[in-house]
Amino acid sequence: MKSPLFRDPIYDGAADPVVIWNRQAKEWWMIYTNRRATQEGPKYGWVHGTDLGVASSSDGGSTWLYRGTLQGLETEWGRNTFWAPEIIWHDGLYHMYVTYVHGVPIDWSGKARIRHYTSPDLIRWEFQSTLGISEENVIDACVFQLPNGMFRMWFKQRNHTYAAESKDLYEWQPIGPVITERGHEGPNVFRLGGYYWMIVDEWRGQGVFRSDDLTAWERNGIILDQPGKREDDGTIGLHADVVVQGEEGYIFYFTHPGRVNGHHEESNHYEWRRSSLQVAKLEVVDGTLICDRDKEFELKLGAGDR
């Protein structure tokens, strides 16, 4: 499998991908946080002021072509920040839940909320609401439909994973904390090998939790914590998305290839900022989620149902 899978050709800061089948174009789309790694400036300005980048694949995910950024998401004046999209298809519409930060802060003090947009084609987006799930900063939404037809959203609040629930994808009611172990972000939920799984970005790899009912979660280890041997894959795997087709699962994640001495900030130069998107295969072995990021495989995604 090609490595890296994709690098953003404009800012070289692709991160937080969501991978979804575009029913209209009949191709896979990867929509991601378009961090401005080439942008000089103070502190963390480069991770703010970001659009959502788009890459497409017409060969089942093997190769990706940069297509631009999503337009029409702004609802107020000025330059604002879009992070970590989650997109699902339901009842004839794409629903996107995206982190929105007012303005372009140079530190982590920005006001962060999760916004809901809908689209018939992944291109034309209509703003629906800013979710009222918390008065505090909330980011990194993940949505999964429960067996009873309800929808559950997991998101980051206070460096832990909280949840909310909805009947219709529009009105959400907070549930409270779900995963309160060590600090983390970027929850992602999927079903593979007879279990429900949640992965969270613990900034040391992806923490893994397993569930039978999408409510009670038990620790199941950690993946993407050890360096890989592929190009640009020699650091921990960060904020990921998972695509499941039948019994096959694939994890799309990003790396900071220039941070071989650790994830913690030591400098703020281009090589430290730049990122690459990667993909690896997931397997369930004896009830444990396994990811060998060096294992050879061919990625050939079929028409999806996400």
Side-chain angles (χ1 to χ4, degrees):
M1 191 63 216
K2 178 187 174 186
S3 179
L5 183 66
F6 178 76
R7 289 172 66 176
D8 180 275
I10 308 300
Y11 289 122
D12 209 11
D16 314 334
V18 60
V19 180
I20 186 165
W21 174 247
N22 185 322
R23 286 158 174 77
Q24 291 68 35
K26 306 300 182 186
E27 59 190 11
W28 284 89
W29 275 30
M30 185 157 53
I31 300 175
Y32 56 91
T33 305
N34 200 20
R35 291 174 167 184
R36 301 175 298 129
T38 56
Q39 182 71 39
E40 296 294 335
K43 296 185 180 180
Y44 306 106
W46 65 280
V47 302
H48 296 89
T50 46
D51 292 306
L52 297 179
V54 179
S56 64
S57 175
S58 57
D59 60 5
S62 294
T63 59
W64 294 85
L65 175 68
Y66 177 77
R67 301 291 296 279
T69 58
L70 294 188
Q71 303 297 305
L73 303 183
E74 288 285 13
T75 61
E76 61 180 322
W77 174 85
R79 175 79 268 187
N80 297 287
T81 300
F82 294 87
W83 284 345
E86 165 70 323
I87 303 175
I88 67 168
W89 168 265
H90 179 70
D91 199 21
L93 279 177
Y94 298 98
H95 292 260
M96 175 166 68
Y97 301 90
V98 61
T99 303
Y100 181 79
V101 180
H102 180 68
V104 186
I106 64 170
D107 53 26
W108 302 112
S109 63
K111 180 180 178 181
R113 295 292 183 265
I114 294 172
R115 285 184 158 202
H116 177 205
Y117 294 80
T118 57
S119 172
D121 56 9
L122 291 174
I123 298 172
R124 295 169 292 151
W125 292 95
E126 181 178 351
F127 173 67
Q128 297 295 333
S129 70
T130 298
L131 302 191
I133 51 179
S134 175
E135 293 298 315
E136 301 182 9
N137 280 357
V138 287
I139 67 173
D140 297 353
C142 165
V143 176
F144 195 90
Q145 188 169 22
L146 306 180
N148 65 5
M150 295 284 286
F151 294 90
R152 189 161 296 170
M153 174 184 292
W154 295 267
F155 54 91
K156 176 190 175 183
Q157 180 179 332
R158 300 183 194 159
N159 279 344
H160 290 146
T161 292
Y162 283 63
E165 200 161 85
S166 174
K167 295 180 180 179
D168 59 6
L169 292 171
Y170 291 88
E171 299 294 329
W172 293 87
Q173 300 301 319
I175 293 175
V178 177
I179 305 293
T180 56
E181 291 189 22
R182 59 180 299 137
H184 61 268
E185 62 187 10
N188 190 266
V189 172
F190 56 97
R191 183 169 178 83
L192 182 67
Y195 298 98
Y196 297 107
W197 303 95
M198 182 191 297
I199 54 172
V200 297
D201 184 356
E202 296 182 343
W203 311 303
R204 58 168 187 162
Q206 298 291 309
V208 179
F209 296 84
R210 193 181 76 182
S211 177
D212 293 321
D213 60 5
L214 291 164
T215 299
W217 297 91
E218 64 177 25
R219 184 85 187 194
N220 192 257
I222 190 168
I223 60 174
L224 299 178
D225 56 320
Q226 297 301 313
K229 297 177 182 177
R230 301 181 297 176
E231 182 180 349
D232 277 11
D233 202 31
T235 57
I236 57 174
L238 298 160
H239 194 129
D241 187 38
V242 173
V243 174
V244 175
Q245 292 206 312
E247 294 303 310
E248 304 291 326
Y250 303 95
I251 185 167
F252 294 81
Y253 58 97
F254 80 95
T255 64
H256 281 298
R259 301 187 187 184
V260 291
N261 294 321
H263 181 64
H264 297 292
E265 185 167 341
E266 297 173 356
S267 59
N268 190 13
H269 53 78
Y270 162 69
E271 277 298 327
W272 185 86
R273 292 190 298 261
R274 81 170 183 92
S275 54
S276 292
L277 296 183
Q278 302 279 10
V279 64
K281 192 171 184 179
L282 294 175
E283 297 176 279
V284 177
V285 180
D286 297 328
T288 299
L289 190 69
I290 303 294
C291 180
D292 180 355
R293 63 202 295 182
D294 296 326
K295 186 174 182 177
E296 287 290 332
F297 68 98
E298 182 181 15
L299 183 62
K300 283 293 181 184
L301 300 175
D305 57 2
R306 293 194 65 192

